[in-house]
Amino acid sequence: MNYWLLKSEPEVYGIVDLKRDRTTIWDGVRNYQARNFLRSMLPGDLAFFYHSNTIPPGIAGLMKIVESNLADPTQFDPSSDYYDPKSPPDAPRWQTVRVEFVEEWAEIVSLDQLRDHFPPDDLVIVRRGNRLSVTPVDPSAAEKILDLATLKLRPSTVMPALPDLGSNPQDLR
DNA sequence: GCCAACGTTGGC
DNA sequence: GCCAACGTTGGC
């Protein structure tokens, strides 16, 4: 089982939309490196749903790959933004996967937070200049991200008890 | 809106 | 195959 990270702009299609739809085809990827990662996905793999071009950018939840090696239907649709007239119908150029909603996190695990926990070598998304919309996440990094999400889901279990500083805010100085 | 960091295109 | 020009992505 492998872990991945898939980017989308929530204004276009976000975790809320996937939650509503339960499942969707991850269409529109038109970058060969990203496509090659899509081609290597297998049913059962897990993918982090990353929200880009929003404040704050970060991971919003988790999804599962349920079908792989699908021809992206938008490449043959002349009315689609992703129409590719050069893609031969008998040898489609663009493959993708069907994903299924797993969970929406109570809070985004932000890009800032990811930078705090991972050096650039350990997580592609925090690398400077990274634009790939589909990237692999190695298992140890994935486990750590899931831990961060779990902390966010259950803050009461990890928040240390605060010392009683009194009710007057001026006492805090 | 800016702009760095790409990826793609096409003339040569 | 080179590379300048152009287009896109996405954080800030």
Side-chain angles (χ1 to χ4, degrees):
Chain A
M1 198 269 285
N2 290 304
Y3 290 95
W4 307 92
L5 184 145
L6 301 177
K7 278 188 204 173
S8 181
E9 303 187 14
E11 299 284 299
V12 178
Y13 193 90
I15 187 91
V16 170
D17 301 297
L18 180 60
K19 189 180 190 177
R20 177 198 62 216
D21 297 342
R22 198 186 61 81
T23 176
T24 194
I25 289 180
W26 202 266
D27 58 18
V29 173
R30 294 293 180 271
N31 170 286
Y32 286 100
Q33 203 181 342
R35 181 209 61 185
N36 292 343
F37 286 133
L38 285 168
R39 281 180 171 175
S40 63
M41 293 181 185
L42 293 171
D45 286 359
L46 292 174
F48 297 105
F49 196 134
Y50 182 91
H51 282 177
S52 63
N53 249 312
T54 188
I55 301 173
I59 299 172
L62 192 64
M63 52 198 163
K64 190 200 292 186
I65 311 305
V66 290
E67 279 182 86
S68 56
N69 201 31
L70 304 171
D72 182 339
T74 61
Q75 70 194 306
F76 303 124
D77 176 2
S79 70
S80 169
D81 286 346
Y82 305 116
Y83 179 52
D84 182 357
K86 294 185 201 159
S87 178
D90 56 339
R93 188 177 287 190
W94 306 107
Q95 283 75 34
T96 188
V97 295
R98 176 175 289 281
V99 297
E100 184 180 274
F101 176 82
V102 175
E103 62 190 22
E104 177 187 13
W105 295 344
E107 285 180 63
I108 296 275
V109 174
S110 70
L111 181 58
D112 279 347
Q113 200 183 356
L114 293 172
R115 287 193 204 282
D116 286 345
H117 288 85
F118 299 97
D121 282 350
D122 290 1
L123 190 64
V124 178
I125 197 74
V126 304
R127 279 178 212 165
R128 176 183 168 75
N130 161 69
R131 294 190 318 179
L132 260 194
S133 65
V134 181
T135 53
V137 178
D138 79 51
S140 66
E143 297 299 333
K144 264 175 83 174
I145 293 169
L146 291 170
D147 285 347
L148 293 174
T150 304
L151 299 188
K152 293 212 162 197
L153 288 173
R154 286 191 258 113
S156 62
T157 62
V158 294
M159 289 270 280
L162 293 171
D164 182 8
L165 296 174
S167 55
N168 186 338
Q170 300 205 337
D171 291 341
L172 293 171
R173 275 186 295 186

